[in-house]
Amino acid sequence: TSFTNLPAIAVGSSPQGVVIHPDGSYAYVTNFGSGSVSVIDVATDTVVETLNVGANPLELVASPVGDRLYVVNSLDQTISVIDINATSATFHTVVASAPTTRSTKGAAISPDGSQAWVRAVSS
C-alpha cells in the first residue's frame, strides 16, 4: 500500500478531529481555535460550510445511521448535535446542545446510533 499527499484544505483555526459521513459524501473537521466545524465536500475537496459550535471543539463522532454528528466542546463542557441527514430540513444545522458537567475530550457512539458516550476529564 502506498499513500499520496494531496493539497491541504484550509479550514478553521487549530483543526483537531475529523470524521467522514457514513455515506462518504462529507468530511467534518473540528476547529479548536475557531469554535466551529468545517464541512468538506469529499467529491470536490472544498469547504462548503462552517458551523458554529461550542468553545474549543476537540472530537466528533458521526452516528452510523448518518443522521447526527456529535461534537465534543471541551471548554464550555457541552456536546453540540448537528443534523447530517441530507433529506432533513435542518441539514447541516446545530439542532441541540447538551451539558456534560465536566471538560470532555472524546466520544463514541453505539453501532445502532442509540447511545453516545463521552470521556470526561476528572477534576
Side-chain angles (χ1 to χ4, degrees), residues 7 42 54 56 84 92:
V42 172
N56 299 129
I84 59 169
H92 284 163

Side-chain angles (χ1 to χ4, degrees), residues 2-123:
S2 64
F3 295 95
T4 302
N5 286 328
L6 299 173
I9 300 169
V11 293
S13 175
S14 301
Q16 297 291 313
V18 62
V19 69
I20 305 294
H21 190 286
D23 71 6
S25 58
Y26 294 96
Y28 302 92
V29 178
T30 55
N31 302 306
F32 185 81
S34 303
S36 65
V37 171
S38 295
V39 181
I40 299 169
D41 182 324
V42 172
T44 62
D45 289 334
T46 57
V47 174
V48 294
E49 292 186 66
T50 300
L51 309 172
N52 291 324
V53 292
N56 299 129
L58 277 175
E59 292 294 327
L60 65 173
V61 62
S63 168
V65 296
D67 63 343
R68 295 287 185 258
L69 181 72
Y70 300 90
V71 182
V72 174
N73 305 305
S74 65
L75 184 62
D76 67 2
Q77 302 176 0
T78 63
I79 302 292
S80 295
V81 182
I82 298 172
D83 182 347
I84 59 169
N85 177 354
T87 63
S88 172
T90 57
F91 181 57
H92 284 163
T93 301
V94 177
V95 294
S97 179
T100 62
T101 69
R102 290 191 176 170
S103 180
T104 51
K105 302 292 183 192
I109 192 158
S110 63
D112 67 359
S114 66
Q115 293 182 339
W117 291 270
V118 295
R119 183 177 69 85
V121 177
S122 5
S123 315

